[in-house]
Amino acid sequence: MEEDLEINESDLEYLYIENSICDELKIKNTKILLEGIVLKSTKLDKFLIWQLSSIYKINTSDNTTIHSLDINNCIVRYINIDETDIKFIQFSSIKRLDELTFYKNSEIGSLNIYLSSINRLLINEDTKISEIVIQKDSFINLCRATDNCNISWITIKKSNILFFVFHRGISIKYFESDGESNIGDFDILECTIKSLTLTNQTNSYNFQNTDIGLLKLDDCKISYLNILNGCKIEAYISNCDIDKVDFKQIIILKDTLISFSSCRIYSLIMENFSVIGGLYFRELIPLKTPLNEEWSNINKYAFNNVFFEDQIKQKYENIKSVVLKSLNGKDKGWINENTNNNSNNLMELLIKQDYISSKISNDKIESLINNLKNAYLSYKQWYEERLLRMIDEHTYLNIKALRKIN
């Protein structure tokens, strides 16, 4: 038990704290690059990481509780919050955070992101968050919530978020943004949202089996708007340019009201379509030419390496090239199966290109590459990048261990 613990201007391989109580843990101008920071069954009042510290990974788990987590002006690769209660989180001027993950019944009071860059914000497995505030020129590549999470409020101010995915039992009370932010595409499945209000955005929407108490879109440019079966929505869409509204094989349910007012629409599709609820069109104007879809194409999210150095970016592009070459070959021997032509064997190709080592254990990489194949065939481009990074991370750690042994 320690009242305060301060680590300053140090170079560590890892920091492990378990079954401890600490008033304040402060880390300043410190590198923890191999295993990072692990907190298990620990209680902290204040957890501070400041002043150009560089941390590979932060893991909290096993009913850890933190009153305040404050990370300022640092580089952190991964943060995993697992079975952890945190009252207040603030990220300020984070130069590079590859992945921030919440899962397994974690409870967060307030998550504030300020002047920070995050590649993936992932909220999973019954996590509860009272408030998410993203502001002041922050950037998030992917925000994804899945599997029965509860988020009371999401507010976005003067920031950029490229892609939102809400799947399977997500409950959100209020989602709002100012007109100065750039909000990307939405893919929402089996969720409940009390209010989703956006103004002056350029994006696309896909809703299925979802309840939205109020959907309000004003002065937006929308590449596609898909309101699929099973939705109960009260939607007011006004002064928008819309490339495609698709009601093909759709039933607008009794409790649904969709209103288009003063919109310009290029393509409106109604085929095998019925209205039990309400569908209103007021003062529509034909859009003479389709919108440019380059800014609203899901493929742009695949292998987005904006947070990586040029060398690592090129490495991931090369790995993807090898994967696709293997996919397109006649022989689909994916891992290290015995085949007559090893040139199409993905494991052999990766070894040949010096992306993995033939000396390390293949079990983990075999599993990851199999998942990579399935992700590619299922068009899950955002998942491809995650798997490639896991392959790279596994390879790095195993090679490092081999060097120590040798």
Side-chain angles (χ1 to χ4, degrees), residues 17 39-44 60-66 82-86:
I17 301 175
L39 302 177
K40 287 187 175 182
S41 304
T42 292
K43 293 183 179 180
L44 295 175
T60 70
S61 62
D62 297 282
N63 298 310
T64 290
T65 62
I66 302 172
D82 179 8
E83 292 183 327
T84 299
D85 293 350
I86 305 177

Side-chain angles (χ1 to χ4, degrees), residues 223-236:
S223 178
Y224 60 84
L225 176 62
N226 293 331
I227 300 177
L228 305 176
N229 282 324
C231 291
K232 296 180 181 179
I233 295 177
E234 184 171 337
Y236 299 94

